[in-house]
Amino acid sequence: MKTKTQFFSLCFLIPLFILQACGQSAKKSNTKTTNIENKIHKPENPYYSNTDSTKLNVTDTEWKKVLPEDVYAVMREADTERPFTGKYWNTDEKGTYYCASCGNKLFKSGAKFASSCGWPSFFEQENKKSIVYKNDNSLGMERIEALCGRCGGHLGHLFDDGPAPTGKRYCMNSIALDFIADSQK
């Protein structure tokens, strides 16, 4: 048991020493920034940008290299997270939701509503180009798949049972979303 505890302690301490040796602080900076890209920094993903809306044409092989396995499964293979397990299904914090693959702005929190379906739900997208659609006839039913308008990643589905003013319910996978609170901007 002692060896296991020492091992986990080393796993934590070694990266801390490396950061300090490189002259970087392991503590969070109190400096406020207005650059949204610094809020969700994904250096391993060169396609991630909260400010670039240029349509991406990236192969699945390349996405597999830069996305975590669980994000890849949902966004590139149209997997679905289990209901009531995602981090955003039951939140009401004010802010903006972005594509977890490419950083495309998708939804404002003002469009989010409690649908009780187990996934985050929105009644409208950020702009007409932020999300695109395709017919999905999988699982023996007709649905409309919602895809990121920039990278084509699977976000979830669109249903016609949402609240006014649109009557739409964008039923999204939490893992397909990144969130930046208004208080962090």
Side-chain angles (χ1 to χ4, degrees), residues 30-34 36 39 93-96 108-109 179-185:
N30 290 332
T31 307
K32 279 208 160 199
T33 178
T34 56
I36 292 174
K39 298 298 182 186
E93 190 172 5
K94 301 299 180 211
T96 306
K108 295 292 282 179
S109 60
F179 177 76
I180 297 178
D182 287 344
S183 62
Q184 293 180 320
K185 290 183 183 176

Side-chain angles (χ1 to χ4, degrees), residues 110-139:
K112 190 172 187 291
F113 68 98
S115 68
S116 302
C117 68
W119 292 278
S121 297
F122 304 85
F123 62 80
E124 71 182 344
Q125 63 195 59
E126 173 60 21
N127 66 61
K128 290 182 181 187
K129 293 182 181 182
S130 63
I131 298 175
V132 296
Y133 312 94
K134 79 175 193 181
N135 290 331
D136 177 2
N137 297 315
S138 65
L139 305 177

Side-chain angles (χ1 to χ4, degrees), residues 142-158:
E142 291 182 26
R143 297 181 294 173
I144 299 172
E145 183 179 10
L147 306 163
C148 174
R150 182 168 184 247
C151 72
H154 172 79
L155 301 168
H157 290 87
L158 176 64

